[in-house]
Amino acid sequence: MATVIECERLADGDGLMAMGVGRWRCRWLVDVGRWRPSPAEFQAAAAVLPPHDRPAIHRFVREEDRKRALVSRLLKYSLVHHALGMPFHQIRINRTLEGKPYLNKNVNLLPGFNFNTNFNTSHQGEYVGIASEPLCLVGLDIVCISKPQRETALEFINNFTSYLTDHEWNCIVTADSHDGMLTEFYRYWCLKEAFVKATGAGVGFGLQRLEFHHMNWTNISLCIDGEEARKWMFWLFKIDEMHLASIAKGHPEDAIDSFRRTLSDVD
């Protein structure tokens, strides 16, 4: 993997880098904008994947989308290979109906091992990331703070009011500038997406049920339907001037049923 693209590691909340905290807890971040493969190099990278997972890459029309799709799949296979020592051709990654990736249980898994991956398909998005945890739910989201082209920041954010609580909306609109409002909005959005990805709920979960509180974007906490979710932890990172990432970690009991059935151990 490292011979194909340059990888960076995303720090966890304890300040340790991913590879320093154990084989099964990983935070990998790839700047796909810096990888400019020739057609032959792209095909060579795709050939690393098992044959059944290659056609999905070529369904994308745009080169940048194909590149993100390839890197996303390479990260998933590399993570499982790194954590469990499985050769690529033996790895079988499935998805729940809601789109949550999971490893086929017909292998000798570390109890509770699961992973979640996200890649940003925005034309401004330059990063693909993956996160894994051995014994808890994990969700990763990456957002690009893109400025709307045909409307003001407030008009753009107004499109998402049904996904925000009154508290979150007030925090957003009281920012000191339009750029500040956009950044505040994307912070909340990034955290909400990380949570629903961790539980496996996906877009079917009502994001307005989630309300985040923080102290200058540290000590982030979550209330679900007005009740504090004490078994969840969140981190928010600034990747660069245009990109944010968030990580959500929680107890397996909060996984939705379709994803819980894929876990080896939910105790």
Side-chain angles (χ1 to χ4, degrees):
M1 184 72 174
T3 61
V4 177
I5 53 181
E6 184 171 341
C7 287
E8 299 177 56
R9 290 170 295 181
L10 190 62
D12 199 352
D14 55 12
L16 298 176
M17 300 304 279
M19 302 298 282
V21 296
R23 290 170 57 201
W24 301 287
R25 177 183 297 170
C26 291
R27 309 284 187 264
W28 291 348
L29 185 68
V30 177
D31 184 347
V32 293
R34 297 170 61 182
W35 182 43
R36 300 178 178 85
S38 67
E41 290 170 335
F42 188 93
Q43 292 303 321
V48 175
L49 297 175
H52 68 269
D53 216 4
R54 297 173 195 167
I57 298 168
H58 299 288
R59 293 175 188 157
F60 293 95
V61 176
R62 297 175 66 248
E63 179 183 352
E64 290 302 305
D65 292 334
R66 288 197 298 272
K67 187 165 65 170
R68 293 184 184 98
L70 171 59
V71 173
S72 174
R73 285 162 175 79
L74 287 171
L75 278 178
K76 284 185 265 189
Y77 283 91
S78 296
L79 188 152
V80 175
H81 172 73
H82 167 78
L84 303 177
M86 294 175 60
F88 274 39
H89 71 275
Q90 292 182 8
I91 299 170
R92 197 81 182 186
I93 296 172
N94 299 329
R95 286 182 178 269
T96 65
L97 290 175
E98 295 81 10
K100 176 76 171 180
Y102 66 93
L103 191 60
N104 191 304
K105 292 176 69 173
N106 295 325
V107 294
N108 185 22
L109 290 178
L110 173 76
F113 177 82
N114 76 92
F115 60 90
N116 184 49
T117 183
N118 169 254
F119 59 97
N120 189 332
T121 57
S122 164
H123 68 280
Q124 292 181 311
E126 297 292 342
Y127 294 94
V128 177
I130 192 167
S132 70
E133 284 287 335
L135 297 172
C136 66
L137 301 179
V138 60
L140 168 68
D141 193 57
I142 301 170
V143 297
C144 178
I145 308 174
S146 55
K147 295 183 180 180
Q149 298 299 312
R150 296 180 178 86
E151 54 189 348
T152 67
L154 189 55
E155 289 170 338
F156 171 76
I157 297 167
N158 258 318
N159 297 321
F160 300 91
T161 52
S162 61
Y163 304 107
L164 302 166
T165 67
D166 290 343
H167 166 76
E168 293 167 341
W169 174 257
N170 289 333
C171 291
I172 291 169
V173 298
T174 55
D176 57 5
S177 66
H178 283 189
D179 286 350
M181 284 193 292
L182 276 175
T183 299
E184 288 293 287
F185 163 73
Y186 278 115
R187 284 167 173 160
Y188 283 115
W189 190 261
C190 195
L191 288 165
K192 289 172 184 265
E193 286 288 308
F195 173 81
V196 297
K197 289 174 181 177
T199 63
V203 295
F205 193 93
L207 296 184
Q208 74 283 357
R209 297 173 55 195
L210 309 175
E211 180 170 282
F212 284 91
H213 297 262
H214 60 89
M215 298 176 60
N216 196 25
W217 293 106
T218 62
N219 298 321
I220 300 169
S221 61
L222 169 66
C223 290
I224 306 175
D225 298 327
E227 294 189 16
E228 186 175 359
R230 297 182 179 273
K231 294 183 179 181
W232 283 85
M233 301 176 68
F234 298 88
W235 296 269
L236 189 66
F237 306 94
K238 180 180 179 180
I239 301 175
D240 58 26
E241 291 303 316
M242 294 298 295
H243 296 84
L244 299 171
S246 64
I247 289 175
K249 287 171 57 174
H251 197 281
E253 68 185 7
D254 288 335
I256 66 169
D257 289 343
S258 63
F259 180 49
R260 191 181 302 168
R261 289 192 292 269
T262 72
L263 301 177
S264 300
D265 180 10
V266 296
D267 298 326

